[in-house]
């Protein structure tokens, strides 16, 4: 039914499109043209150029507009008289053209193609300066110059990102910029391995990169349809050096090594191999990546299926990141090609394998109003995973009025895990009385298949700015898993609750989702103002079947259905969005005002499959139907003070629907020490987000400033209410709605040279934040409302110095956190982290290079035994040889002082938790690197 609806609507829209021609009478005319630039002897259209018709007497604006994706602009209803045409775009020389009344003839004026050239002042500044700026701040873009950081020849993009001000790279490869997570990486404006940034950052050689641009990018829907949906994403775009855009680029490396600390167990030799082959030309791009290693360089995003995490959810910390020791292998092929003006396509195919061993210890202090309790935990996890993924995209533009885009994707996952866990709770009395303990071992085999497809069709009418578009999508996700669980739970104050489990687990989940979106844009008042209307409907149906069987001693088989551990869930969810937005584009400012109405309908049932008899399910709880309507406004405003500075304000409302399990009131006993149940009376939460951002760039002085202020608050936030059974220590957790949660934070990034020669450069990133969080803390008889306020301060200062034979960068940072509580008797919690990093490269005679990076980190304010000081020192020596220095031999020693630790603390309203993981430490790796590039018929 869903497919029929989508294709019927699509057919109706296609056959109903009839271009509407603008009508002109009397002395009114239409004027149009195309704006372009010359690049590599080719004419490239420029989108977003501001085109103005001015009155020549006083230069006042008569009409304004902007160019579209093809560089085309037009004015309609133009009176026959003299004008001054001005064409203006940031970074380019403005163009002025006098329009005489004599050229008006007929009802159309074609100004033809108008060329823009880069600002000669900026070009002369770049030519004169011996040093290039580290960072350039533009509207919605931070641009970094790799050449200013003097990285090693063997460096990859991620190595540079770790040195950039305002950029943070977490141990698992996750990247954030000024607090915003990077979702995709593009290469020369083309998607690179879809939604997997690590395939680019961990594999692409830095030597081929000209610029690293961090961009707040408009959504794909807005690019295709012109509809401002308010959904921006932060991406990285890597521009390729001009000399490397025609030909082949190849890099291959192989390395072997060993631990240097004489460990008695797991002393397996270390190895790392990778290969990168890429071909670029004007119309196509193809890249092959292969990577295999056991040094925790997981060069892909883990797309493991969700069933495994659903089955194994036993209350342990699920955030492993890059902890443990990981063996991984990856191979991927990425392609993008423009066949002609009508057809272009791109896609990728990739396979990866991981073998990960993670050990962790945890300590939690539960903060009760009149007492405390303590939880200790340990776990060992051994996971093996195989992932296969395929994505493909086709764009067909039959003419200037129509475009079709098809996106498809397929992912398959298969994994196996063997996990052991232990946890124990003790009271906070003088004797540390034992309350409970649990041991569990789980073996799981899981697999999953995900297919998605989306079709977009957009049509531009003859009237400037009028558009109609359609998008239909389908998402099918099927996962299954089976395994065994053996656990032993003891309750020392109430032995009657003791429980031993020997179970066999089966889980199967099907989720089918369909979506349909129709949008229409109409120009109003002036050609640079538009009204946009859209309607979107999403239909989701999920059926998650869980069956758990206890071991039968009499039959010697797992044949006894355990209803307490066999809860299945079925959910039917429909969400609609009606939107209206007004957009205005002016030379100095642009703004968007919008309003959304979001009605949603939820129906769900929890049951035990075959719970009564075979073929007859037991219904535990049924929500026959629940309708909620939310209203979500949005506002965006950008003001341009000049070419080099601008201010942007954004407000967006967002509805957060409760999940299926949060609405289901039946108990979930999979973890006997933490029983969870839902709340059928939950309301959707509603988040308000406000952002101010200011950018200022003085390219001649190489100064860049970016500042933002973010404020958010949540109505009806969904939080967990937890109580404890005195005799057993069992936690009873269920979600409720609460008001009072809000956050505010400010970030400033500033970069400038300190000397006339611009070789000594200074950068600073400052951040202040305050988080007001509502929670509940148990007293002697009940849980009471508590508000925790977390104040955070962060400062990161950097100095870098660059000469022909030397590069050095010194960065220091301090991070402070203080948590206060409104509930009487709760102590303040504060901790401080200090960091100091020094990176250096020495370029010696005969193509020798010596590099070193020293990282010092100290923590204060943690639980006894977790306050640490560590110095991580890595050093590398390399030699380039062969023709054109195509080969490099290098030796790198990781963690020379053997001080790597992995400890983290999380602070919440009613508990503080510390975790310690096993880590890869202290090893030497010797590598051979070979590069061979063919550019324009020659090799380098």
């Amino acid at each position: 039914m869903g497919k029929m609806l989508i294709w019927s609507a699509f057919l109706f829209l296609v056959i109903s499109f009839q271009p509407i021609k603008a009508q002109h009478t009397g002395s009114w005319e239409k004027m149009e043209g195309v704006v372009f630039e010359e690049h590599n002897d080719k004419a490239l259209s420029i989108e977003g150029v501001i085109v103005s018709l001015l009155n020549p007497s006083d230069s006042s604006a008569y009409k304004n507009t902007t160019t579209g994706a093809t560089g085309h602009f037009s004015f309609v209803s133009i009176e026959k008289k003299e004008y001054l045409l001005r064409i203006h775009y940031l970074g380019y020389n403005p163009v002025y053209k006098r329009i005489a009344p004599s050229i008006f003839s007929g009802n159309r004026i074609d100004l033809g193609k108008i060329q823009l050239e880069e600002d000669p002042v900026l070009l002369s500044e770049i030519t004169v300066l011996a040093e290039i700026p580290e960072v350039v701040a533009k509207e919605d873009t931070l641009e970094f110059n790799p050449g200013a950081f003097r990285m090693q020849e063997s460096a990859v993009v991620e190595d540079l990102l770790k040195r950039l001000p305002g950029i943070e790279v977490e141990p698992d490869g996750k990247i954030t910029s000024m607090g915003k997570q990077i979702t995709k990486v593009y290469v020369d404006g083309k998607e690179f391995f879809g939604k997997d940034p690590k395939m680019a950052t961990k594999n692409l050689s830095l030597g081929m990169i000209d610029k690293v641009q961090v961009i707040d990018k408009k959504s794909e829907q807005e690019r295709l349809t012109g509809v401002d949906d308010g959904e921006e994403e932060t991406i990285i775009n890597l521009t390729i050096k001009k000399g490397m855009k025609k030909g082949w680029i190849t890099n291959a490396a192989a390395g072997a090594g060993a631990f240097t600390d004489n460990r008695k167990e797991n002393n397996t030799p270390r190895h790392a191999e990778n290969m990168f082959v890429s071909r670029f030309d004007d119309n196509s791009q193809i890249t092959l990546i292969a990577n295999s290693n056991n040094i925790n360089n997981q060069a892909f995003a883990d797309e493991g299926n969700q069933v495994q995490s659903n089955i194994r959810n036993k209350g342990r910390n699920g955030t492993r990141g890059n902890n443990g020791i990981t063996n991984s292998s990856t191979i991927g092929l990425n392609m993008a090609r423009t066949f002609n003006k009508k057809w272009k396509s791109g896609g990728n195919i990739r396979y990866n394998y991981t073998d990960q061993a993670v050990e962790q210890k945890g300590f939690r202090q539960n903060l009760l109003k009149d007492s405390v309790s303590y939880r200790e935990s340990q776990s060992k996890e051994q996971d093996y995973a195989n992932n296969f993924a395929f994505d493909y995209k086709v764009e067909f533009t039959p003419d200037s009025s129509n475009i079709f885009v098809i996106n498809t994707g397929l992912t398959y996952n298969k994994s196996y895990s063997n996990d052991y866990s232990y946890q124990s709770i003790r009271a906070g009395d003088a004797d540390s009385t034992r309350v409970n303990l649990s041991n569990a071992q789980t073996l799981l085999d899981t697999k999953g298949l995900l297919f998605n497809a989306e079709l977009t069709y957009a049509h531009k009418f003859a009237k400037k700015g009028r558009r109609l578009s359609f998008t239909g999508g389908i998402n099918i996700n099927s996962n299954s898993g089976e395994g065994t669980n053996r656990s032993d739970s003891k309750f020392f104050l109430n032995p009657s609750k003791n429980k031993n489990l020997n179970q066999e687990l089966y889980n199967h989940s099907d989720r089918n989702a369909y979506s349909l979106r129709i949008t229409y844009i109409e120009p109003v008042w002036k050609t640079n103002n538009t009204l946009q209307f859209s309607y979107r409907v999403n239909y989701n149906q999920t059926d998650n079947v869980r069956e758990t069987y206890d071991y039968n001693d009499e039959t010697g088989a797992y044949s006894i259905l355990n209803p307490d551990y066999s809860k299945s869930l079925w959910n039917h969810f429909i969400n609609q969005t009606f939107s209206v937005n007004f957009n205005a584009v002016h030379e100095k400012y642009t703004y968007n005002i919008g309003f959304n109405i979001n009605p949603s309908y939820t129906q769900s049932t929890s049951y035990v499959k075959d719970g009564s008899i075979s073929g007859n399910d037991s219904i535990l709880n049924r929500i026959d139907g629940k309708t909620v309507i939310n209203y979500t406004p949005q506002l965006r405003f950008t003001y341009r003070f000049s070419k080099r500075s601008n201010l942007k304000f954004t407000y967006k409302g967002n509805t957060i629907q409760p999940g299926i399990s949060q609405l289901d009131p039946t108990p979930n006993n999979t973890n006997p020490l933490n029983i969870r149940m839902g709340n059928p009376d939950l309301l959707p939460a509603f988040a308000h987000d406000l952002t101010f951002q200011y950018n200022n760039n003085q390219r001649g002085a190489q100064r860049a400033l970016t500042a933002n202020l973010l404020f958010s608050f949540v109505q009806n936030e969904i939080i967990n209410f937890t109580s404890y059974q005195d005799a057993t220590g069992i936690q009873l957790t269920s979600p409720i709605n609460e008001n009072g949660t809000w956050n505010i934070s400010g970030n400033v990034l500033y970069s400038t040279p300190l000397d006339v020669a611009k070789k000594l450069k200074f950068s600073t990133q400052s951040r202040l934040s305050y988080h007001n969080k509502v929670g509940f803390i148990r007293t002697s008889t009940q849980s009471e409302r508590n508000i925790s306020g977390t104040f955070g301060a962060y400062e990161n200062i950097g100095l870098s110095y660059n000469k022909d034979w030397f590069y050095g960068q010194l960065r220091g940072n301090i991070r402070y956190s203080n948590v206060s509580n409104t509930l009487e008797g709760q102590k303040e919690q504060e901790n401080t982290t200090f960091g100091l990093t020094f990176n250096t490269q020495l370029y010696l005679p005969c193509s020798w290079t010596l590099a070193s990076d020293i990282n010092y980190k100290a923590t204060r304010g943690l639980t006894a035994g977790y306050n640490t000081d560590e110095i991580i020192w890595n050093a590398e020596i390399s030699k380039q040889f062969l023709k054109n220095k195509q080969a490099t031999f290098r030796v790198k020693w990781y963690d020379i002082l053997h001080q790597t630790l992995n400890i983290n603390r999380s602070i919440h309203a009613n508990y503080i938790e510390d975790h310690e993981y096993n880590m890869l430490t202290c090893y030497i790796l010797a590598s051979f690197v070979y590069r061979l590039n063919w550019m324009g018929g020659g090799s380098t």
Side-chain angles (χ1 to χ4, degrees), residues 310-315 438 440 442 485 487 489 499 501 503 505 546 548 564-567 667-676:
N310 289 340
I311 298 177
R312 65 197 287 181
N313 180 18
K314 302 185 182 301
S438 174
T442 304
N485 172 50
S487 65
S489 302
K499 184 179 294 186
L501 297 176
Q503 300 174 324
L505 316 173
R546 181 184 181 93
T548 303
D564 291 336
Y565 293 83
S566 298
K567 185 179 68 173
N668 183 338
N669 300 311
T670 52
N671 183 349
L673 302 185
N674 187 359
I675 299 175
R676 298 176 177 270

Side-chain angles (χ1 to χ4, degrees), residues 181-237:
Q181 183 175 348
I182 303 299
T183 56
K184 294 179 182 178
V185 170
Y186 288 66
V187 174
D188 267 351
K190 300 179 177 66
E191 277 194 28
F192 194 80
F193 284 98
K195 297 180 180 180
D196 191 348
K198 290 197 290 186
M199 287 293 284
T201 60
K202 287 182 174 288
N203 290 290
L204 290 186
S205 171
L206 193 59
M208 61 187 284
I209 305 301
D210 181 44
K211 297 288 190 298
V212 176
Q213 300 169 330
V214 181
I215 305 171
D216 289 332
K217 178 181 173 293
K218 295 179 180 179
S219 69
E220 184 73 1
Q221 276 292 316
E222 183 173 355
R223 183 186 73 83
L224 294 174
T225 66
V227 176
D228 186 353
D229 54 10
E231 297 179 4
E232 289 185 342
E233 58 180 348
T234 303
I235 62 104
I236 287 178
N237 181 52

Side-chain angles (χ1 to χ4, degrees), residues 861-877:
L862 303 184
T863 305
Y866 283 79
N867 291 313
T868 59
D869 294 85
E870 61 179 5
I871 300 176
I872 310 302
W873 179 23
N874 304 319
E876 174 182 337
I877 185 170

Side-chain angles (χ1 to χ4, degrees), residues 64-82:
N64 296 291
T65 189
T66 58
T67 59
T70 60
H72 179 267
F73 69 90
S74 66
F75 296 101
V76 296
S77 301
I78 305 300
E79 189 177 358
K80 293 181 179 179
K81 64 177 186 178
E82 186 177 11

Side-chain angles (χ1 to χ4, degrees), residues 617-825:
D617 301 336
S618 296
I619 303 300
L620 302 177
N621 182 70
R622 188 194 303 273
I623 300 176
D624 291 329
K626 187 175 182 179
T627 301
V628 177
I629 300 178
N630 291 287
Y631 305 92
T632 59
Q634 70 178 46
L635 171 65
R636 290 198 291 174
F637 177 82
T638 301
Y639 186 83
R640 302 175 186 89
F641 298 98
S642 66
K643 290 181 180 181
R644 298 173 177 85
S645 65
N646 62 82
L647 177 68
K648 182 178 180 181
F649 167 74
T650 303
Y651 166 78
K652 183 170 64 174
N654 181 41
T655 299
I656 306 169
Q657 297 288 347
I660 303 172
S661 59
Q662 291 177 312
L663 294 170
D664 181 14
T666 56
N668 183 338
N669 300 311
T670 52
N671 183 349
L673 302 185
N674 187 359
I675 299 175
R676 298 176 177 270
M677 60 189 70
N679 178 1
D681 297 323
L682 276 181
L683 298 174
F686 188 83
H688 304 262
D689 297 300
L690 297 90
T691 303
F692 292 88
Q693 182 169 314
Y694 174 75
N695 294 307
N696 184 286
N697 179 62
Q698 301 176 40
R699 188 159 185 170
Q702 295 191 12
R703 293 192 185 96
L705 171 66
T706 294
N708 63 40
L709 178 67
L710 301 97
F711 177 73
S712 67
F713 65 96
V714 182
Q715 294 175 283
N716 296 321
E717 186 193 19
I718 300 173
I719 65 173
N720 286 328
F721 180 91
T722 301
S723 58
Y724 299 83
Q725 294 180 355
D726 290 330
T728 63
I730 293 176
Q731 296 183 87
L732 304 174
T733 304
S734 62
I736 61 173
N737 291 112
E738 274 291 337
N739 291 309
T741 293
W742 55 270
N743 304 274
I744 186 169
S745 65
N747 293 271
V748 176
L749 175 65
Y750 179 68
S751 175
T752 184
L754 296 179
D755 62 332
V756 177
K758 298 181 175 62
K759 292 182 178 295
L760 180 62
K761 297 174 182 178
F762 168 83
S763 66
T764 177
Q765 182 190 4
S766 306
R767 180 165 63 240
L768 293 175
S769 64
Y770 187 84
H771 183 191
N772 201 73
K773 177 73 173 177
V774 177
F776 283 83
I777 294 179
R778 195 195 75 162
T779 64
S780 57
T781 57
Q782 61 182 1
S783 291
E784 292 189 17
R785 193 174 189 265
N786 176 64
I787 298 177
S788 62
T790 303
F791 171 76
Y794 174 77
E795 177 63 39
N796 189 317
I797 296 177
L799 287 172
S800 65
Y801 185 74
N802 195 351
K803 286 185 70 70
D804 293 338
W805 58 274
F806 171 81
Y807 174 83
Q809 183 191 62
L810 177 67
R811 303 193 70 85
N813 66 78
I814 180 171
R815 192 187 304 267
Y816 171 78
S817 175
N818 180 283
V819 182
S820 60
N821 299 280
T822 59
L823 199 57
E824 185 179 353

Side-chain angles (χ1 to χ4, degrees), residues 486-499:
R486 293 178 174 85
S487 65
D488 179 19
S489 302
K490 294 183 178 180
F491 303 92
F492 297 99
L493 303 180
N494 191 352
S496 63
K497 293 285 188 178
N498 292 351
K499 184 179 294 186

Side-chain angles (χ1 to χ4, degrees), residues 277-312:
V277 181
S278 188
R279 184 182 187 276
F280 295 89
D281 62 28
D282 293 333
N283 299 315
S284 66
Q285 170 185 311
I286 183 169
T287 302
L288 174 68
I289 289 175
N291 185 305
S292 180
N293 67 83
N294 63 356
I295 58 172
N296 282 23
N297 185 15
Q298 190 168 322
F300 58 90
D302 189 359
E303 301 178 59
N305 66 66
Q306 191 64 33
V307 166
Q308 184 172 351
S309 61
N310 289 340
I311 298 177
R312 65 197 287 181

